[in-house]
Amino acid sequence: MVSNWTKIPPPLFKKVVIVLIDALRDDFVFGSKGEQFMPYTKQVIEKGTSYSFIAEAKPPTVTMPRIKALMTGSIPGFIDVIVNLNSPALLDDNLIWQAKTAGKRIIFYGDDTWVKLFPKHFVEYDGTTSFFVSDFTEVDDNVTRHLDRVLKREDWDLLILHYLGLDHIGHVTGPNSPLVGAKLREMDNILKKIHISLLSKEEASFPNLLVVCGDHGMSETGSHGGSSAGEVHTPLLFISSAFEKRSGPLTYPELVQQTDLASTLAVGLGLPISRNSVGNLILPVVGGRTMREQLRFVHLNGFQLSRLLQENTPAYEKDPGYEHFKIAEKSHANWIKLYLEGNNSEILLNLGKKVLKQYLEALKTLSSSLSKQVAQYDMYSMMVGTVIILEVLLLLLLSIPKALSSRAEFEVPLSPPLFSLLFYLVCLMLCAVHVIVCTSAESLCYFCSMSWFTAVGVMMLISALMCGILSAIAKTFDNSRLPVKNPVLSSSSWSEIDVLILAGTVGHVLSLGASSFVEEEHQTWYFLINTLCLVLCQELCRNNFLLKEYDPQHSTTVKQNSEEASGYKNIDIPAADSSKLSKTSTSDEFVRGSDKWVSLASPWIILICCRLLRSLNQTGVQWAHRPDFGHWLTSSEHKSELSFLAAVSLLMIFFLVQRRCSLVSKIAMALGLLGIYSYRAAIGNVIFPWQHGSKDISKGITEARFVYIFVLGIVFSGTKDLLKSQVISSDSGVKSTGLWEVYSGLVLLAALLFRPHNLPVLVFCLLIQTMMTKYIWRPLKFGAAQITIMHYWFGQAFFYFQGNSNGIATVDVSAGFVGLESYVEIPAIFLTAFATYAGPLLWAFHLLCYLSSEVSRNSAAVGHGCFCYALMRSLPVAVYIVLVTGLRYHLFIWSVFSPKLLYEGVHVFITAAICLFFTAMDHNHSHKVQD
């Protein structure tokens, strides 16, 4: 009897058309926009033969994982955010594969992600790139142009259409743009055409089905990837003559899971439910069938879910969902007996409804249990990566004394460990563990799938790092036994800046273990830089008004004693006394007159700037929905104000950057900034003063490429000076000019990629850097390590001032397509990454410019800065990876912790590139290598 129950029933629909409208938010159909711009669809929902639902998508809300969820019924992993850029073929059991195996003829038009996921599955297809977000019309016209021809044909069973235009409009202009209404009206006309065509050709006994859905929604800024209501709630419509006409008052659509579509379509097409599906059958779709058929459908769904539970849970028999399913199955068997006896009374119908309710409760419990358990973690690969990261962090921490010495030495002692017995024993032991894990019956992991040559290389790296750490610890103990040569330095007290840096760094790292602190991390950085400004204000007051209280003779003596320390001269952290005493000895050179008062006012001016920047972009989760100044500027009613602000910002950028550029670079910068305004005017963001009527909106490709030419010209000019200083001349002035010109080129590129309302962020960034350089860092003569950490803190704060958060939705994808006619992967990735991390990048590059100009004061400054920057990035990443591994079953692991981990990973790659550039620019390091 069980075999008859699990036999696949015949299909319920002859033809099925799936219209997937990318980024279709639920209120675009069920809200006021639906009534205004989608009248036909709204009429079908209210009075037609249809069922409407709100489908909830799980994060990450990006296209490729959502397609996988729709077609497999499973919950994709967060790594699919990265794979989304270049989707591999989908190997999991899915609806498309089942349909092809059953002989269904499938036609697809739209996003080429489908073609990559399901190669050789479609009898006919035409893919369009999903990443060229500046295209609002052609990307949809390429789909619609096939409709008239295909709808007249009879040689297909499943038609899938994926429209991208709405998503592109959201990325570029946001959900409140007037372009959204026009696009919704276009989609409504397309749905009307498809629906009328299906009705005109269907048979009464074998109806057709039209499914309308979205893969994800869109946030209030027009992006997606996170877990806000606008991003996870999408409409799901089933339209067919098989359904009864709606009557009575209209109720708000019921909430279902996006994964439920795979099970429902499988039943509707007469196909097996995908093996790994965790979705439930949406019962109203089959509600018009007989009670016996409905019970058969829900039993098929329950049998598939219970089998999946058995494969993933050892103690599956004790699972409440499994127990409920078995109870419902027994009740179903009793109902079948009564049915076969010919009992057609009201009692049989009521009993059938009771059994159906039992099944639905069991399905809901099973699906919920599976959604929590199906996530399989590759613990072996995770542990290997964690060990390497922790070893690198420990090696950095043990290297602090030498790395921050006057010679700035950071030499990893690999030669002795590589030839030691311990190295070979550890390597042999790790290889044995690898063999045991990878040959075990239950192991299936990424690290085991790598070649043996690569795996052995990783084991050797772990062994070498471990031996290097043991060697460094042994040397530290040996040095601790030596007599202290510098009693003054060893007893030095910490300044307020040093205490704040330590407390702020430790506090931020510890806060990463709480989901609310990760969501609102911007608040942590805002608090830290505000506190830093107050401490700097105190330091400036002390040096301006209390300087005479120090004894110059005593300070000079201590300074001479401190410089006699053989191995630890000019240590930057925490040599607070040395820095204070150096300030004392230069009291005559300290700023006087008007500069003195500007210096005292600088921290307060910086605080005002930071407060203004906080009002520009609301970020995080708790207050992201609140209106901010950026939303006010980007509304269509305030285009004149935005244009004025953009023009003033570009003028300020030129004024702040040009002061150290050559004449040619100044001209290139001026023309480039003019080109940026022309580009924004061309795409309709801003207007020219003489422009009164409406102007045709273009992609601005010519204007953007015009700016790229000047960016490359300025960067090339700076690179030429850098090569000259490295190869021909050792003049620090040439090197400083070259670095500043490269920095100016990066500023020009950032101005091009930033949205017009974000240009003040760039202005305030340059203004704060100028003020801190002239009125704070140089007068107070901080060490390189302290200045590096301040740069790092401000860089992190400006990451959030841009409007970024730890959610994927705030990534401005449109920046990756500025000046591109079509999607080109490498430039698009580079431009998107640069625009996202412009704040940290510009502060890191400014750090290099500043430290290079301070080489005359401390020849090891660049080396100290590079080491401290690497350490400041490594510490939170290492701790966060350990925390995420421990919290992998946390309720918010996918919505909060995983997106943050992606941001941290990309930031590590960027930091590695920055540190390599620091090393290349370090003259002190170059001389040591030559020696």
Side-chain angles (χ1 to χ4, degrees), residues 8 93 98 262-263 266-267 271-277 279 297 300-302 304 307:
I8 306 302
D93 187 16
Q98 292 285 2
S263 303
V267 170
L271 303 172
I273 298 174
S274 301
R275 182 185 182 89
N276 296 318
S277 171
F297 294 147
L300 279 172
N301 194 185
Q304 174 265 326
R307 186 177 60 183

Side-chain angles (χ1 to χ4, degrees), residues 14-15 17 40 146-154 156 159 161 189-203 206-210 239 241:
K14 181 181 180 182
K15 292 181 182 294
V17 179
Y40 184 81
H146 299 285
L147 267 186
D148 291 331
R149 177 176 53 85
V150 170
L151 291 174
K152 293 176 183 177
R153 290 160 44 186
E154 296 290 335
W156 56 271
L159 174 63
L161 308 171
N189 291 331
I190 290 168
L191 294 175
K192 180 179 180 180
K193 177 189 290 188
I194 295 171
H195 187 213
I196 292 172
S197 176
L198 290 177
L199 288 174
S200 66
K201 291 193 168 189
E202 71 179 18
E203 304 167 8
F206 207 15
N208 298 322
L209 174 67
L210 171 61
I239 304 170
S241 59

Side-chain angles (χ1 to χ4, degrees), residues 292-304:
R292 185 181 185 184
E293 287 178 302
Q294 291 184 53
L295 290 174
R296 185 181 181 186
F297 294 147
V298 292
H299 177 265
L300 279 172
N301 194 185
F303 180 78
Q304 174 265 326

Side-chain angles (χ1 to χ4, degrees), residues 723-735 855 923 927:
L723 291 174
K724 182 179 177 182
S725 68
Q726 293 288 102
V727 179
I728 302 173
S729 168
S730 59
D731 184 9
S732 60
V734 175
K735 177 183 173 183
V855 169
H923 269 305
H927 293 327

